[in-house]
């Protein structure tokens, strides 16, 4: 192969040199793509960190609001003529019932979890196929 250098001279390259140039070019291209991906992920990580911080602050504010609304509900019950201690117990009892319902739903959902049974089954099938050499008519080497 002939290549024109920057000074106008012709230069012959062997096949080995051309392969080395191509390999180096591919290597530089892959490194450049990895660097680009790192920069993009770094930017996304900063955005995710800010977003999660804002969600955490919103959750804290939401918790404070729930506490204030609970106190307001208890005072509302007291205004309706219920004893002070009973009004706060009613509000606390409502939260206990809500927590019990949420625990029940959570346990029900957890019992429905199957894990990775489908993946486990397909992996066993793949291993069995590899042991047979990919041919269904050939018996498996070991089972």
């Amino acid at each position: 192969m002939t290549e024109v250098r920057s000074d106008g001279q012709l230069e012959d390259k062997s096949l080995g040199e051309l392969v080395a140039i191509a390999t180096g070019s591919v290597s530089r291209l892959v490194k450049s793509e990895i660097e680009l991906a790192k920069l993009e992920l770094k930017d996304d990580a900063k955005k995710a960190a800010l977003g999660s911080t804002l969600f955490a602050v919103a959750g804290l504010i939401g918790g404070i609001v729930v506490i204030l609304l609970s106190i307001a509900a208890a005072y509302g019950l007291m205004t309706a003529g219920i004893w002070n201690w009973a009004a706060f117990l009613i509000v606390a009892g409502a939260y206990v019932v809500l927590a019990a319902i949420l625990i029940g739903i959570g346990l029900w959902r957890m019992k429905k979890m199957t894990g990775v049974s489908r993946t486990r089954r397909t992996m066993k099938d793949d291993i069995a196929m590899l042991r047979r050499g990919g041919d269904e008519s050939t018996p498996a080497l070991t089972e």
Side-chain angles (χ1 to χ4, degrees):
M1 294 291 229
T2 304
E3 181 179 302
V4 178
R5 296 190 313 206
S6 59
D7 61 355
Q9 297 285 332
L10 293 179
E11 183 177 327
D12 287 332
K13 300 262 186 207
S14 69
L15 182 61
E17 291 172 327
L18 292 174
V19 169
I21 291 171
T23 303
S25 297
V26 169
S27 176
R28 280 192 307 275
L29 177 64
V30 169
K31 286 179 184 177
S32 298
E33 290 294 336
I34 290 172
E35 286 300 317
L36 177 61
K38 284 181 184 179
L39 290 173
E40 289 176 338
L41 288 174
K42 188 176 182 182
D43 187 44
D44 285 347
K46 288 179 184 178
K47 291 176 184 175
L50 177 61
S52 62
T53 302
L54 293 175
F55 278 129
V57 170
L60 177 67
I61 292 170
I64 292 170
V65 167
V66 167
I67 293 169
L68 292 174
L69 289 175
S70 301
I71 294 169
Y75 277 120
L77 289 173
M78 289 186 325
T79 303
I82 298 177
W83 294 315
N84 296 351
W85 60 270
F88 280 93
L89 279 179
I90 290 170
V91 171
Y95 280 116
V96 168
V97 169
L98 178 64
I101 291 170
L102 293 174
I103 288 172
I105 292 171
L107 287 174
W108 175 65
R109 298 285 301 218
M110 295 282 279
K111 287 181 182 178
K112 294 174 91 176
M113 289 176 41
T114 60
V116 292
S117 60
R118 191 177 351 166
T119 301
R120 193 175 309 126
R121 186 179 65 245
T122 58
M123 286 289 289
K124 286 180 182 179
D125 292 344
D126 292 345
I127 290 171
M129 183 198 55
L130 289 173
R131 286 181 179 160
R132 287 189 297 268
D135 186 10
E136 292 296 325
S137 62
T138 308
L141 296 176
T142 58
E143 289 283 332

